[in-house]
Amino acid sequence: TYSLRDLGSIATGLKSKNNDVTYSVSGNTLTASAAGVTVFTFSVDPVSGEATFDLDDQLDHTGAGDAETLTIDNLGQFVVATDADGDEVYFTGKLSVVVENDIPEITGSLDSQTVYEDGLSTGLGDSSDGIGGGDTVVTYDLASIVESGADEDLTYSLRDLGSIATG
């Protein structure tokens, strides 16, 4: 038969949304959670020995980029195979799961908008172009064209590109 053993409180080295991930074992299911939220479950069928890993929430990756991965290689220590007379073998170091990072994705584009110098308070009000005044401020809904992926809670900022020619 196959089962999971409860090793008590061990350091996982994992984080989710900057919270430590802890493991708990109940029957043949290991639950990894952070701040009361299930991050993943790992279960073993007691007869067939089939193991299932189910990712339920994000794991914090140390790097950036969509191809960056995180390896969970400590699950095997919980798995036990037991024969008819009670002999046991453990899967320590024999089982790992690789979790690929998820990054935000731009899913659309924003239409060009126009501002009018004629609308400035210091403008001459030259309406020779047929436009008198006009908007000097436009807004864009950035959130409408970006998907956060698994790592929800997007923030928006400007990045400093140094001195660049505006052409």
Side-chain angles (χ1 to χ4, degrees):
T1 63
Y2 298 89
S3 61
L4 293 176
R5 60 185 177 152
D6 189 350
L7 297 176
S9 178
I10 65 166
T12 67
L14 302 172
K15 288 189 174 281
S16 176
K17 300 176 188 169
N18 209 31
N19 295 300
D20 291 332
V21 173
T22 59
Y23 292 161
S24 64
V25 174
S26 178
N28 279 356
T29 301
L30 176 147
T31 301
S33 58
V37 175
T38 298
V39 178
F40 66 82
T41 57
F42 176 73
S43 59
V44 175
D45 183 287
V47 177
S48 70
E50 180 175 280
T52 303
F53 180 92
D54 182 12
L55 184 64
D56 297 303
D57 204 352
Q58 70 174 18
L59 285 164
D60 296 349
H61 289 70
T62 56
D66 198 34
E68 201 266 332
T69 60
L70 174 133
T71 301
I72 304 170
D73 59 4
N74 61 359
L75 297 176
Q77 66 187 331
F78 294 93
V79 181
V80 181
T82 307
D83 68 12
D85 68 355
D87 297 322
E88 296 179 337
V89 63
Y90 306 106
F91 288 74
T92 303
K94 303 296 181 192
L95 176 74
S96 65
V97 176
V98 176
V99 180
E100 180 195 17
N101 195 17
D102 187 26
I103 63 170
E105 180 180 344
I106 300 293
T107 59
S109 62
L110 297 168
D111 291 334
S112 179
Q113 298 189 53
T114 303
V115 293
Y116 300 92
E117 290 181 346
D118 288 342
L120 294 172
S121 62
T122 57
L124 298 176
D126 177 10
S127 59
S128 63
D129 57 7
I131 302 171
D135 293 328
T136 59
V137 176
V138 296
T139 59
Y140 293 93
D141 181 8
L142 302 177
S144 70
I145 65 161
V146 65
E147 293 290 331
S148 65
D151 301 333
E152 61 273 330
D153 301 331
L154 287 173
T155 60
Y156 300 87
S157 61
L158 297 176
R159 64 180 179 155
D160 184 356
L161 298 175
S163 295
I164 60 170
T166 58

